[in-house]
Amino acid sequence: MASRTVGKLARAMIVSPDQMNLLGAPADLLRSALQPGFRDERYKRLWRLSRTREQSGFVYGHLGFESQSEADLWADDEQEFEPAEVPNGAASPFVIRLKDLTMVFQTRRQDIRVASFISAFQAMLRTIDKNKQWRLEPLTGKMSFHNWRREMEKISRVRFKIKKEDPQPSDGGLVSLMLQCKPDLAALELRAKDGIEVSGDLMRELLQHAESGYGELVAVGRRKDNPASERIWVSTLEGESVVSEVPIDPETGEATFETLMAELGNVERPD
């Protein structure tokens, strides 16, 4: 049972390929991609899309995953602990405004972060696009990490990850050393309540790799002029996502449809 009373909502805009717009309105194409039961497996998680409902020009649904984790469970018959696989999962509610394909979605703490939601949602959209050009972009437009960091009062978290199937760097740096272990996924995370120093050699290496397509870097900060909202810079987005704190249902841990709609009402898509 969930007990938290505050959750986080992130924002993004859906961009449809120009050539597909010749085949129909972007909203109609989006509807054809929102197929209940959609499945996409990544990092041992099976992502699925729920049934969606449309109301007054908005689409509401859930995108989530299920997985299995190992645990030792008590067996009464044997009077012993035995290894078992335990189901796990989480789902993020989202709302899309059909007139401009702007969306708001809830992150779920460590289970579903901004980058993982966006990757799974893009994979779903691209099932109707053989050229794989549907994408999600930040509402603030593209921005380099260096320009983004200048607007931050502090950066409290940095996470870098690289998958086995990603292009592999060969410069002999820290990332190359991590990959010598031949992992399916290598990750490095830094946290500091008072702020991370991002001008050193380590950050330079991680950022250079991410900007060159070797892995993904995510940084979390707060702006000097608006410390109430988190700003998350994602290298694969080439920009930031704004994250706001909102009340959630303490029983389910979810923001309600009304809360998502209220947040989306504050969001304008750039021209």
Side-chain angles (χ1 to χ4, degrees):
M1 178 184 296
S3 60
R4 292 172 61 85
T5 58
V6 176
K8 296 181 178 181
L9 300 184
R11 312 166 180 178
M13 60 182 180
I14 301 169
V15 180
S16 60
D18 291 337
Q19 71 271 21
M20 292 196 73
N21 293 342
L22 300 176
L23 304 177
D28 292 333
L29 296 170
L30 176 64
R31 288 187 186 97
S32 67
L34 298 176
Q35 296 297 320
F38 157 83
R39 51 188 292 151
D40 180 57
E41 189 167 0
R42 53 183 62 216
Y43 311 135
K44 298 182 179 180
R45 290 178 169 184
L46 180 59
W47 288 84
R48 292 185 180 274
L49 177 71
S50 73
R51 289 178 296 176
T52 58
R53 60 185 174 95
E54 188 172 334
Q55 179 179 322
S56 303
F58 296 87
V59 171
Y60 172 70
H62 288 79
L63 181 66
F65 72 89
E66 55 186 10
S67 64
Q68 299 284 330
S69 58
E70 295 180 354
D72 293 325
L73 301 182
W74 180 256
D76 279 332
D77 292 344
E78 302 295 332
Q79 292 291 291
E80 183 57 273
F81 288 95
E82 295 184 348
E85 292 211 333
V86 180
N88 182 34
S92 290
F94 64 86
V95 169
I96 302 170
R97 188 166 56 210
L98 291 173
K99 71 176 183 180
D100 60 3
L101 302 189
T102 299
M103 75 182 304
V104 167
F105 60 92
Q106 182 183 351
T107 61
R108 301 302 299 268
R109 303 190 70 185
Q110 303 301 314
D111 291 319
I112 302 180
R113 308 185 194 206
V114 170
S116 58
F117 180 94
I118 285 175
S119 294
F121 203 90
Q122 281 187 160
M124 177 189 64
L125 293 175
R126 290 173 178 178
T127 59
I128 64 167
D129 170 23
K130 65 180 181 180
N131 294 317
K132 311 291 186 185
Q133 292 183 343
W134 278 84
R135 63 190 186 278
L136 269 63
E137 290 188 353
L139 286 160
T140 53
K142 293 187 177 182
M143 179 186 301
S144 71
F145 177 81
H146 297 291
N147 288 337
W148 176 81
R149 65 175 281 203
R150 281 199 289 264
E151 298 182 359
M152 297 301 112
E153 181 177 26
K154 64 180 180 181
I155 296 172
S156 58
R157 189 162 71 249
V158 171
R159 186 172 192 265
F160 175 86
K161 67 179 182 180
I162 186 168
K163 300 175 290 183
K164 178 173 63 176
E165 60 267 28
D166 287 341
Q168 308 288 299
S170 57
D171 59 359
L174 176 63
V175 174
S176 295
L177 290 175
M178 293 167 63
L179 294 174
Q180 286 180 8
C181 299
K182 300 189 182 303
D184 292 334
L185 172 70
L188 176 66
E189 185 162 5
L190 307 172
R191 294 172 180 253
K193 182 175 65 174
D194 296 326
I196 295 170
E197 173 55 60
V198 295
S199 60
D201 292 340
L202 174 61
M203 276 299 300
R204 263 195 299 273
E205 178 186 341
L206 298 180
L207 184 62
Q208 181 179 7
H209 286 325
E211 290 181 335
S212 300
Y214 304 127
E216 177 183 74
L217 188 140
V218 177
V220 180
R222 294 184 184 269
R223 284 175 60 105
K224 300 172 183 176
D225 58 352
N226 186 14
S229 295
E230 275 189 346
R231 307 286 171 139
I232 302 179
W233 187 87
V234 184
S235 62
T236 49
L237 288 178
E238 299 181 72
E240 71 169 4
S241 180
V242 180
V243 176
S244 303
E245 293 187 341
V246 297
I248 58 174
D249 184 327
E251 294 293 322
T252 64
E254 285 191 6
T256 64
F257 172 69
E258 291 74 20
T259 299
L260 291 164
M261 288 289 292
E263 180 71 12
L264 192 53
N266 297 323
V267 177
E268 293 186 4
R269 180 165 178 152
D271 295 331

